Amino acid sequence: MGGGPAGLAAAEVLAEAGLAVTVIERMPSPARKLLIAGRGGLNLTHSEPLERFLSRYAPAEPRLDAAIRTFPPQALRDWCDALSQPTFVGSSGRVFPEAFKASPLLRAWLARLDRLGVRLRTRTRWTGWDADGALSLAGEAGPETLRVDATVLALGGASWPRLGSDGAWVPVLEAEGIAVRPFRPANAGFTAAWSPLFAERFAGAPLKRIALGLGSETVRGEAVITRDGIEGGVVYALSRPIREAIEAAGEAVVNIDLRPDLDVAALARRLAGARPKESRATVLRKAAGLSPPAAGLLREAARDLPADPAALAALIKTVPLRLTGLQPIDRAISSAGGVAFADLDARLMLRTRPGTFLAGEMLDWEAPTGGYLLQASFASGRAAARGVLDWFAVR
């Protein structure tokens, strides 16, 4: 149930084992979120060492460890090669298909599934089980039931509802007594109280080559100023701790280093060397090397900038930004929350529904952008399929 990466990965493993497999997708075509993800260059996985890679899934790392170790990033790259869709490692360590988009990979994958005999049904929604345990479906021809030997639910989270991940399955599982952690935005932007002038001038402007810090965690990269806050790669990387701080205290104060390539002393020397008659804007642009959005952000933090070069350098290196809320979940790249792992056994099978396995983003895990989301979706789908095969062997 569900034609995203997790569902299709499960279908492939099961079909290769000789089982008759049907993929049921509620949208008119499968893997729509995958196609959207590929618009900016499909980031499939990451090339960093496996132990560091696995740490990105904390606190759910122990529950995803076996699935990802069995199907690690290199295995995903090998799988792409077998579909004649070779990959490459970008300068950031992220892995992309050479075609740099999702559609060729998806076409090749669907063709393989078709050759394996996988049947695809679209425009059909799973609505639960009937009194006899058969699957209840709602399709174009109306309600129907379907008897199967095993089911893999890969129904997605609650971000991007227009692409099929709307969380409509939550009440069905909760009615069965299955614990579902509330969905919250992950890899999403946060709100900040910009002044009207700053928001008007810089909404949509990038902050390049910065570092964002919260507590002991610091991430380098880029961000984008929005009309009501901030989003982008460095924000997504710290999405979980920022969200948790806001949930606990109503706000999170992060620090932005606008020149992470320079230490405070070196930056202070540059500022001290500015010509006496240069305007403050010129000093920030030439001596500090700040872009207009970065200089504007600095002035948002301190209307009266310090005249002392050392104090100004210290501020540039630690610009405080108060974040007060989360952008809506339908604007998030992914979602946190989902079915609690405690309700699943080691095969990803529901303890209260033998023969029903879960995979993908409907499980209670999250990860930053960078290839971690897709890697875990592929790996958990394949793990759920192996769980089905193991269950068939021992039941």
Side-chain angles (χ1 to χ4, degrees):
M1 316 301 302
L8 296 180
E12 183 175 6
V13 171
L14 294 170
E16 286 177 337
L19 277 65
V21 182
T22 299
V23 174
I24 296 176
E25 166 60 43
R26 82 173 187 88
M27 301 300 287
S29 58
R32 291 195 165 195
K33 193 174 177 182
L34 180 70
L35 291 173
I36 289 291
R39 284 185 176 179
L42 183 65
N43 182 193
L44 285 165
T45 187
H46 203 286
S47 63
E48 67 185 351
L50 185 59
E51 297 305 322
R52 177 62 175 160
F53 187 95
L54 288 166
S55 72
R56 307 292 189 178
Y57 298 97
E61 176 186 351
R63 302 309 302 266
L64 293 171
D65 183 275
I68 294 174
R69 287 185 186 276
T70 303
F71 190 73
Q74 186 57 51
L76 178 53
R77 297 187 67 186
D78 293 342
W79 175 84
C80 290
D81 285 340
L83 288 173
S84 300
Q85 299 296 317
T87 59
F88 71 96
V89 180
S91 58
S92 64
R94 299 183 180 197
V95 175
F96 302 88
E98 288 185 0
F100 213 59
K101 52 187 177 181
S103 52
L105 177 64
L106 180 59
R107 283 196 300 269
W109 193 7
L110 292 176
R112 171 185 283 180
L113 293 174
D114 184 65
R115 291 193 298 271
L116 288 170
V118 174
R119 182 186 177 204
L120 175 63
R121 285 187 55 180
T122 59
R123 304 178 190 272
T124 304
R125 180 191 287 271
W126 174 73
T127 58
W129 296 273
D130 70 7
D132 296 322
L135 300 176
S136 297
L137 306 177
E140 294 181 295
E144 62 177 298
T145 58
L146 181 65
R147 293 196 172 278
V148 297
D149 296 306
T151 306
V152 176
L153 299 180
L155 299 170
S159 63
W160 293 88
R162 66 185 179 87
L163 301 178
S165 297
D166 59 2
W169 51 266
V170 171
V172 179
L173 294 190
E174 287 184 329
E176 295 282 322
I178 297 163
V180 182
R181 305 272 171 79
F183 280 117
R184 294 159 294 166
N187 293 299
F190 295 88
T191 57
W194 302 135
S195 66
L197 180 61
F198 180 83
E200 180 66 29
R201 183 177 179 187
F202 294 115
L207 293 168
K208 297 186 176 182
R209 295 180 294 278
I210 65 171
L212 184 71
L214 178 63
S216 62
E217 297 187 70
T218 302
V219 180
R220 288 196 183 200
E222 298 186 0
V224 176
I225 297 166
T226 66
R227 184 165 293 277
D228 60 354
I230 190 169
E231 60 183 29
V234 293
V235 179
Y236 302 155
L238 294 179
S239 178
R240 181 175 59 83
I242 294 173
R243 185 187 67 238
E244 290 174 348
I246 292 174
E247 291 171 346
E251 66 176 33
V253 179
V254 299
N255 292 307
I256 299 179
D257 183 348
L258 297 173
R259 288 303 308 269
D261 54 321
L262 292 175
D263 61 26
V264 173
L267 183 56
R269 287 194 296 270
R270 290 192 178 197
L271 293 168
R275 295 176 181 177
K277 293 185 178 181
E278 286 182 331
S279 68
R280 182 52 59 90
T282 300
V283 170
L284 294 177
R285 177 171 56 87
K286 290 186 174 180
L290 300 186
S291 67
L297 181 66
L298 186 68
R299 293 185 182 277
E300 279 287 290
R303 301 298 181 187
D304 297 319
L305 297 179
D308 176 63
L312 181 56
L315 178 61
I316 291 171
K317 294 287 291 179
T318 55
V319 180
L321 177 58
R322 180 171 171 265
L323 303 175
T324 56
L326 290 71
Q327 289 184 348
I329 196 167
D330 59 4
R331 292 176 58 185
I333 292 175
S334 59
S335 55
V339 175
F341 279 99
D343 280 353
L344 306 172
D345 67 12
R347 296 170 294 195
L348 299 181
M349 184 172 73
L350 285 173
R351 299 182 189 278
T352 57
R353 277 278 179 181
T356 300
F357 301 76
L358 273 61
E361 205 177 332
M362 68 184 296
L363 296 173
D364 183 22
W365 63 273
E366 62 178 302
T369 58
Y372 310 102
L373 295 166
L374 277 176
Q375 178 71 51
S377 293
F378 278 98
S380 64
R382 296 177 68 91
R386 291 192 302 273
V388 171
L389 298 176
D390 181 69
W391 183 65
F392 281 166
V394 301
R395 65 172 179 161

